[in-house]
Amino acid sequence: MTNYGMVIDLERCIGCHACAVSCSQENNVSLDQQWNRILTEGGDSMDTPEGKYPEDGRDGTLSMNHLPMACQHCENAPCVKVCPVNATYKRDDGIVAIDYDKCMGCRYCMSACPYNARVFNYDEPETLPAEGTGNVEQREQGVVEKCTFCSHRVEEDLDPACTVACPADARIFGDLDDEESTVSRYINKYETDQLLEELETDPNTYYVRGDMTPGRKRHGNELEGTEKKEVGNPDGVATDGGESE
Amino acid sequence: MSTRRDSGVVVPQFGTRGKAWLALLGIVIVAGLAAWGYQLSRGLAVTGMDNVFSWGLYIMLFVFFIGLSAGGLIISSAPKFFHSKRYDSLAALGVLVSLGCIVVAGLLILPDLGKPSRVTGFLTSPDFRSPMVWDFGIVLLYGLFNVGYLWLLTRRDLAKMGSQLAFGVEDTPAGRERDRKLAFWAAAVAMPLAIALHSVTGWIFATQIGRGDWFNPLVAPMFIMKALVSGLALLLVTAIVVDRVTRFRMPRELVPELGKVLGIFVAVHIVYLVAAERLPHAWAANFEFWSITSAFLVGDTVHFWLWTVVGGAVPIALLAVPSWRRKVGVVFAASVAAIVGILFEGVYLIFTGYRDLNIDASPGVTTGTDYTGIGSDVWATVGSYTPTLIELLVTLGIVAVGAMIVTLGLRFLPVQPGGRKPSAVEAGETEKSDAETPPDAAVADGGYVVDGTDGDRR
Amino acid sequence: MSKQEERTESGVSRRSVLLSAGAAAGVLGIGGKQTLDSLTRDATSGSVDGLFDETQVLNTACAPNCRGKCPLNVHVRDGQIKFVEPQMTDDEQYRRGCLLGQSHVQRVYSPKRLKYPMVRSDWSPGDPNPGGRGEGAEFEQVSWDEALDYVAEEMLRVREEYGPESVFFHTGSGDNGMGTTIFGRLASMFGGTQQGWSIDSNVGMGFNRVTGHGYFLPPTNESEDWVNANTIIVWGSDLLASQFQNDASKVLDAMENGAKLVVVDPVYTTTAAKADLWLPIKPGKDTHLALAMINAVLTEGIYDAEFLRERTTAGALVRNDTEELLRMGDIEDSDDDRVVGVHSETGEPVPLEPDTYADVELFGQYEVDGIEATTGLTLLEDHVQQYSPETVADVAELDAEDIRTAARWLATRGPGGIASSYALGRYKYGHVFGQTYAILLALTGDYGKSGTIHAQHPLGASLSSGDYGSPEGAEGAQYLRMHEVPDALENGEPYPIKAIYGMESNMLVNQFPDRQRWMDLLENVDMFAMADIHRTPTVQHADILLPAAHWFEREDITDAWGSHPHISYRAKAHDPLWDARDDYYIINDLAEKLGYEDLFLDDKRGELEKIASNDDRFDFDELREKGNVRIDVDVVKYTDPFPTDTGRIEIYDEDQPVEEEGTVLDLPRPIEDRTAEDHELADEYPLMFMQKHSKWRIHSQWADNAMVRKMNPEPTLDVHPSDARERGIDEGDYVRVYNDRGEVVVRAEYNEGMQPGLINIDQGWWAEDFVEGSLQDLTHMEVNDLAPTFAFYDVRAEIEPAPDVDTSMYTDPESADWLGDYPSEGDAQ
Ligand SMILES: Nc1nc2c(c(=O)[nH]1)N[C@H]1C(S)=C(S)[C@@H](COP(=O)(O)OP(=O)(O)OC[C@H]3O[C@@H](n4cnc5c(=O)[nH]c(N)nc54)[C@H](O)[C@@H]3O)O[C@H]1N2
Ligand SMILES: Nc1nc2c(c(=O)[nH]1)N[C@H]1C(S)=C(S)[C@@H](COP(=O)(O)OP(=O)(O)OC[C@H]3O[C@@H](n4cnc5c(=O)[nH]c(N)nc54)[C@H](O)[C@@H]3O)O[C@H]1N2
Ligand code: SF4
Ligand code: SF4
Ligand code: SF4
Ligand code: SF4
Ligand code: SF4
Ligand SMILES: [Mo]
């Protein structure tokens, strides 16, 4: 079986927002919503550190990290369990999807999602151009939406838009059930964590912390497992573009 | 006419005040409908909710009215279950109030939906893992049960007065006896149903792992306790008001008696359950004995004070002194305070769930309502909420529907078993109680529901 | 049109582009879709349908003056641009693009597009009424013909009255397509003035004195080689924000491969956050620090002696009497001007040939043929005695051990280098830093090897257009460097400027320092025409407004100077919106009106082909077909003899250039302007004020972008909480930033990572984006003598709360009704 998941290397992430922007564009997301957000783990505003500026010329205590956040596609997804009308469901390929024709906009799923990954179209979605952007239809006012793992792309054997967009090669998408896939090998090799692990939602999104990976070389748009797929290889150094094996 | 009165219809005819009251309700309902129409055309953008604070007044009051709906039913059924006639005089009125409240609660769901027309999804593609599906079922069941129970309690009297609402049932002593037995069984169903209703509603919140205090096994028991407190308080308030403005007569002795019960409920709720909930937090968050104690006893929010002082200490104090609780005015005031307290507790619960984000790093989440153009800030790292006029109007409209149901019930159903009894008010306190009735006679004039909610919100 | 026929101009179909991966392009084109059979339940009702089958994908490129120049794919549907993503590069390791490139959709459909040709209402030929220019100016829509008639007539009149050089063919750095090349051809034909640079030229010119390379930052190995660096010292660059297309990934690759990252920056930036060692230097002390590192390398003896002997003049003798290099001719009485070292074994003088190992003494005083002389390295060693790590640690507020660590890493960990930045050149005497680090890298032997680094961005590929820019019969253009233009405008020195046609620039009223002065200077001009895509502050200040096509609305070629080794092709996604036109056709029409009927072809494709034919490293048709082609450039730089007199890195500069302050620069000596603690403005304006390049814009471009403004809604002042609190400024307060020249009002944002005493407002905001004033009202135009460059960051300022300003534009914004207010298809051209 297929179980799609994502690995985001926080050591590589430079907080550039390319993935966030690309997500909005490709998925026709309204300007007042953002499915994929880049948070700053640090000070009170974006791109500021926490800690104290060093007084002795040394590194001091400052620290700052970027944390890209979108739907985590939880295995044990609370949003799925609460949706009264089966509009939110877990697909067999691991993607947590929303049937926009069924969603009645009760927003129960929003309070269920511990990651605030979901947004609701309070207003008529607004895009520039008004006819919409990207490669999917706009959702109606009154329904809830969120990251789809770009299911429309995945179904065409394409990597998600954010993954293709990341200039730091920090995002890797693939099949968690395939032991040979890059996501699986990264999870096995590197220290990864899931957000709010203690809540036992068991997200399909894993974050690498502490150890930099070779990253996913952006050689193609195709999903791993399709023809001519080259992605970073955790077993090799980056010099070979991660193509060994 | 006389049959009617004898059979216990407490408003044989609408007088000027009655008509004015009906007209007022009508206007409020129409205003609510208009507001909802506007909301439908503009979307939920016209509410104060956003992506962070995604449930607002509608759900807060949904929870509140679910709670309110409990009291009447439990008070009317509990004695029956023990074959006691103790509160028989309040039974029908209690169930009527329950019905009004559950209808309000059910209706409050609709304007909260982004796509109300798809509410049919509950029936066509329900997911039985969802507590909301359980809740939907139980609200429906509870509402229908209330209708049936109310009819059961009044059908012989209806038959006696020749009302078509008797649906062919006849008033015979044997029939009355049979109904008494049936009522026992209905009571046996009513209590677990009420408990289930509150538990399930509690579970809607208690199953939410990501929302601060919601994820708490105590939520469901708390909901039951809240229901007992607010439901009984509402019943008392209603009975007292109805006693004053209609021919309904509340037995004098019930006032201190139910007042005492209310006092006990409030005590259990506030002193025990709230403490049980707060203590572990205070204990875990503080080190020194005195800081644990003060964190536990002294709240830092206005909500805390509202519900512990207004909703807890005040009613307990008023009801604890036997001579005070014999005064109708005092019981009335204590009940109102208890209702206010519970309302605030419900509001506070929603706030605790939405105020803080689990991952609150900057810039946070998009509110989903704020994009006005280049240079507008769409981000939030904390939840905040103020209901809009639209939400207030829609809510008032729905509450008015509930009031309408109760009013019409009083007009067409024989809620006073066995006809007229001496009024609690007449029994001795006329002068004093006048002072305790709210000065705004138009509102006091049966406007208990308006009083109980709108009054708090200010 | 059937789907089969729905092909791009370059003949590549949708799916093949979406799926293409170099050689595999097209193979996967048809029938590749496999449905997920596992999606039984709700697979149809619930899944989101992609609109790929109706979408056309074109090749184009983004090319403002960042170091991206990214080939992009544009998705077009229903005649509208819908999505942009990085195009596969010919050489796959260079695939790139940033948030800005991927937000072009909102740029094309921006409400601030310039829509119609317009003329300022109170302007007319002969009666320019320059006082009417500026924010309040009103314009009347005219036809293209009319607008260009005005421009041509005024140009001809000015040429008649003052000479052709009085017409300024002004360009900035807005686009890297063929626009300026084409414009240059017209300028040259006309004999007008073109603009040389006085921005970013500081550090590179200092470096040039040592190595012969550099004007802007010197060449550095192409980024594919960065992974081989063992130590990268990022010096004064937040390169993960200003080099954040795929070059960022190359730095990360190097780190993953074991490299140490050192960041020298007063601010704790995204780049500093990733560093192994961060040196929070005081602004303006970079030359001190580099000298201290030289001191450490020499004291610890960790210099690369072999490299110094082979490729530098370290061992070359400097005459004690004349302070010039000793030449073979001095001792042989010939005109052999090869410099001389002392052979370590024989003690004999030997000539130093370019790139030839010479076993010479590196240190010492010698007497050769009766001439007392000292090696350059010894002179340097003596000179840096005063810059011990301890001394400099005091001055620059650093830790001496950290300085040593950085020096050791650079010297002993194998090839590495210094990714130097433009920020250091935004201090008045930045060129001395260029001189210093060029020498430091020579001591550590970091030139000409895989893994060596000399600048924060690689060189990339530039298209050579041959003599296209100087057509037959051309007068030839005159050049004024930016800092010389004010004198021409104000005093007519060396000649007056009376008419301006500007394009691809927002400099005159937004990006140049001392904005108020430029606005005053422009009053001396009779006709000021601006062609731009957007209605920028500079456009608003002009007399004649010419709406230009967006990059995606025209066919073009771009190269990738400063970026990566590819040339890219731009296909046209749709016609220019409203009445906008491709600059090419505007210039072509103008040329005709000026009487140069045959200067350009009527067909742009033909013209592009003509330009491309000058560069034999690629074929135009192949370029159109593929979207971008890899150009064969040297990946590793500095492998040839250095273009200096000696063919070697010249550690000692015998020219002894003297800076304005009287400092002799035979060896690097720090000179400071406003960063000096005792500067005359220091008491009144205690804060240093810089204007960093931010990831949210490339200069002033994207400032009007709805997608970007969502993340970065308004200008802010980055300030350390201690500086703010001292002045009673709370986080989020609006503050007045001011100095002796002007003021600007912005919202304060506390940032612990800012060095106390240093404040920042990101550059590029349009004047109208500020609540009041503009950041350029505080900057000045004072430049140094040796490498004149605008010193944007060498500015002092003070801040105070501004409680009484009207901030409603941000605190109470009105809902925009412009969303959707544009024609869905172009109606011009
Ligand atoms: N996103 C984006 N990328 C760009 C551009 C853009 O506008 N946006 N512009 C492009 C252009 S044309 C240029 S010239 C480059 C410029 O890009 P960079 O060369 O990176 O230069 P800056 O952004 O000027 O400054 C970078 C850093 O220098 C630090 N700094 C300031 N003063 C000092 C000092 O005295 N000493 C030291 N050591 N550090 C100091 C600042 O804190 C800042 O972090 O970027 C290019 N890339
Ligand atoms: N205070 C301060 N000021 C600075 C700096 C700083 O650090 N601090 N940095 C300086 C630096 S390093 C630089 S390089 C300069 C850059 O200054 P500019 O070169 O003025 O930079 P841009 O903002 O990119 O302006 C380019 C303009 O060209 C327009 N344009 C783009 N493409 C086309 C086209 O195809 N046709 C036409 N007709 N117009 C087009 C854009 O819309 C935009 O208005 O800014 C400098 N200004
Ligand atoms: S992140 Fe939230 S929306 Fe996504 S699957 Fe988990 S609970 Fe559901
Ligand atoms: S808002 Fe829609 S998706 Fe979410 S729980 Fe309600 S019906 Fe389900
Ligand atoms: S997978 Fe697709 S929808 Fe999800 S964040 Fe990435 S781009 Fe957005
Ligand atoms: S695109 Fe990559 S580097 Fe940039 S914010 Fe997203 S994950 Fe981080
Ligand atoms: S702005 Fe620069 S880095 Fe970003 S996509 Fe365009 S060319 Fe590339
Ligand atoms: Mo620049």
Side-chain angles (χ1 to χ4, degrees), chain B residues 190-204:
Chain B
M191 283 194 299
L193 196 59
I195 288 178
L197 177 70
H198 302 297
S199 302
V200 168
T201 308
W203 288 333
I204 287 188

Side-chain angles (χ1 to χ4, degrees), chain A residues 58 89 129 131 156 219 221, chain C residues 15 41 88 95 402 822:
Chain A
R58 310 216 62 148
Y89 61 102
E131 288 83 351
E156 298 261 356
H219 290 324
N221 287 353
Chain C
R15 290 193 52 90
R41 198 200 69 127
M88 185 51 62
R95 190 182 199 193
D402 287 348
Y822 62 90

Side-chain angles (χ1 to χ4, degrees), chain A residues 82-85 87-88 98 102-109 118 144:
Chain A
V82 301
C83 178
V85 295
T88 288
I98 302 173
K102 272 190 186 163
C103 173
M104 59 181 185
C106 68
R107 304 182 305 295
Y108 193 5
C109 52
R118 296 176 159 250
V144 154

Side-chain angles (χ1 to χ4, degrees), chain B residues 138-419:
Chain B
I138 212 143
V139 166
L140 217 60
L141 207 65
Y142 188 85
L144 292 174
F145 177 82
N146 266 313
V147 173
Y149 193 29
L150 187 57
W151 186 64
L152 177 67
L153 291 180
T154 55
R155 62 182 180 172
R156 300 295 161 185
D157 286 340
L158 283 168
K160 185 170 153 197
M161 65 193 219
S163 163
Q164 296 198 331
L165 292 174
F167 294 110
V169 172
E170 279 170 27
D171 181 23
T172 62
R176 288 207 178 238
E177 190 46 39
R178 204 164 49 247
D179 279 7
R180 198 169 293 284
K181 285 199 182 114
L182 273 176
F184 168 80
W185 289 111
V189 173
M191 283 194 299
L193 196 59
I195 288 178
L197 177 70
H198 302 297
S199 302
V200 168
T201 308
W203 288 333
I204 287 188
F205 298 92
T207 50
Q208 305 284 56
I209 48 172
R211 296 282 155 198
D213 291 348
W214 295 7
F215 187 55
N216 179 346
L218 270 181
V219 168
M222 288 279 268
F223 267 49
I224 292 174
M225 217 47 234
K226 281 193 260 188
L228 289 176
V229 170
S230 63
L232 177 56
L234 178 66
L235 181 60
L236 275 167
V237 167
T238 315
I240 292 170
V241 171
V242 172
D243 182 295
R244 272 189 72 84
V245 300
T246 74
R247 291 161 186 265
F248 178 82
R249 288 302 168 254
M250 179 175 179
R252 175 72 181 87
E253 70 279 8
L254 286 188
V255 171
E257 212 176 296
L258 286 175
K260 191 160 131 195
V261 176
L262 179 63
I264 293 168
F265 283 174
V266 173
V268 171
H269 174 58
I270 296 292
V271 179
Y272 183 69
L273 278 180
V274 172
E277 196 188 30
R278 282 183 69 86
L279 180 72
H281 286 294
W283 189 86
N286 293 282
F287 189 71
E288 301 295 336
F289 174 76
W290 285 115
S291 45
I292 293 173
T293 319
S294 63
F296 160 54
L297 287 178
V298 186
D300 49 1
T301 60
V302 65
H303 306 273
F304 173 86
W305 290 108
L306 272 170
W307 104 61
T308 49
V309 177
V310 175
V314 168
I316 291 174
L318 291 178
L319 298 171
V321 183
S323 63
W324 281 5
R325 71 170 174 260
R326 271 195 291 279
K327 296 191 205 301
V328 173
V330 170
V331 173
F332 185 86
S335 301
V336 169
I339 293 174
V340 170
I342 297 294
L343 176 67
F344 268 91
E345 200 181 329
V347 169
Y348 182 65
L349 178 80
I350 305 285
F351 270 88
T352 60
Y354 285 129
R355 195 182 41 218
D356 300 323
L357 306 180
N358 293 314
I359 299 171
D360 64 353
S362 178
V365 303
T366 49
T367 56
T369 55
D370 277 359
Y371 194 89
T372 49
I374 290 172
S376 58
D377 188 355
V378 300
W379 302 94
T381 48
V382 286
S384 64
Y385 170 73
T386 320
T388 60
L389 184 64
I390 297 295
E391 284 171 281
L392 288 172
L393 287 176
V394 170
T395 308
L396 279 179
I398 291 174
V399 171
V401 170
M404 186 71 102
I405 287 174
V406 173
T407 310
L408 293 177
L410 294 175
R411 168 72 181 78
F412 294 108
L413 297 178
V415 296
Q416 180 99 64

Side-chain angles (χ1 to χ4, degrees), chain C residues 455-477:
Chain C
Q456 52 95 305
H457 66 85
L459 198 55
S462 302
L463 182 138
S464 57
S465 53
D467 54 8
Y468 175 82
S470 41
E472 233 184 310
E475 294 258 334

Side-chain angles (χ1 to χ4, degrees), chain A residues 32-34 37 39-40 46 81-82 84-85 100-101 103-108 110-111 114 120 122 140-141, chain B residues 42 45 49-51 54-55 112 114-115 118 125 127 130 133 204 208 211 354 358 361-362 364-366 368:
Chain A
D32 45 27
Q33 315 279 19
Q34 192 69 37
R37 309 171 272 129
L39 307 180
T40 302
M46 207 194 258
K81 287 191 284 186
V82 301
V85 295
Y100 302 118
D101 295 332
C103 173
M104 59 181 185
C106 68
R107 304 182 305 295
Y108 193 5
M110 292 181 79
S111 53
F120 177 72
Y122 289 91
E140 289 172 77
Q141 186 177 34
Chain B
R42 297 287 308 276
M49 294 182 270
D50 61 28
N51 286 338
S54 50
W55 275 345
D112 190 57
K115 294 264 167 205
R118 295 191 187 156
S125 73
D127 184 334
S130 170
V133 168
I204 287 188
Q208 305 284 56
R211 296 282 155 198
Y354 285 129
N358 293 314
S362 178
V365 303
T366 49

Side-chain angles (χ1 to χ4, degrees), chain C residues 128-145:
Chain C
N129 197 10
R133 293 199 187 108
E135 271 172 43
E138 283 178 21
F139 298 88
E140 274 159 27
Q141 190 177 331
V142 293
S143 69
W144 270 105
D145 204 41

Side-chain angles (χ1 to χ4, degrees), chain A residues 12-13 15 25 33-34 47 51 53 58 89 92 129 131-132 134-135 156 169 217-219 221, chain C residues 15 18-19 38 41 51 77 80 82 88 95 102 106 249 253 266 274 402 695 710 752 755 822:
Chain A
R12 290 192 81 93
C13 175
Q25 308 280 13
Q33 315 279 19
Q34 192 69 37
D47 298 332
Y53 194 90
R58 310 216 62 148
Y89 61 102
D92 290 347
E131 288 83 351
N135 288 306
E156 298 261 356
D169 303 337
K217 299 303 163 217
R218 300 190 300 157
H219 290 324
N221 287 353
Chain C
R15 290 193 52 90
L18 285 171
L19 296 171
S38 56
R41 198 200 69 127
L51 302 171
R77 192 172 59 249
Q80 257 182 7
K82 296 294 189 183
M88 185 51 62
R95 190 182 199 193
Q102 297 180 75
Q106 287 75 30
S249 190
D253 287 349
K274 295 255 188 259
D402 287 348
K695 65 185 165 199
K710 184 170 145 179
E752 257 308 326
Q755 186 173 87
Y822 62 90

